[in-house]
Amino acid sequence: MIRPMDTMFASAVSGLQANAVRFGTAAFNIVNANTDGFKARAVSASSVVPGGLSTSVSETSLPADAAREFVSMIQAEAGYSANAKVIDTASRMTGALLDVLA
């Protein structure tokens, strides 16, 4: 049986991981942008049951674009922060529930 709190934590942790992959991939693209023949990599995410994301990284046919990569890094940072707040909130909710039951 899958409990809602388990799903909440699993979803948030996979969100942290997905945003870390997204940030790392953007940084990799920026570092390698001036390498001859380099093609940017892109991150794809898909939802998994009972909750969360699965990510994959693949090479594109496009060269790296610094502006696009910096925007991706900013979005990944915001997503990472949001998922960290979900974990913090779920942790506080669990603590409050345990206090009520004790």
Side-chain angles (χ1 to χ4, degrees):
M1 180 173 142
I2 299 170
R3 290 170 274 169
M5 292 302 282
D6 293 341
T7 302
M8 188 181 338
F9 279 112
S11 179
V13 168
S14 70
L16 289 174
Q17 293 168 332
N19 283 293
V21 169
R22 186 175 180 186
F23 191 93
T25 301
F28 179 82
N29 287 340
I30 290 169
V31 167
N32 291 290
N34 292 327
T35 302
D36 289 338
F38 178 76
K39 300 296 181 192
R41 295 186 179 167
V43 177
S44 299
S46 58
S47 52
V48 293
V49 176
L53 296 171
S54 173
T55 58
S56 62
V57 179
S58 59
E59 187 176 285
T60 69
S61 61
L62 303 171
D65 174 42
R68 181 179 61 232
E69 301 305 336
F70 279 113
V71 168
S72 183
M73 291 172 84
I74 291 167
Q75 291 171 332
E77 180 183 14
Y80 195 92
S81 177
N83 282 287
K85 288 178 184 177
V86 169
I87 290 173
D88 180 56
T89 301
S91 178
R92 285 188 286 119
M93 288 172 55
T94 301
L97 178 61
L98 292 174
D99 287 346
V100 167
L101 296 175

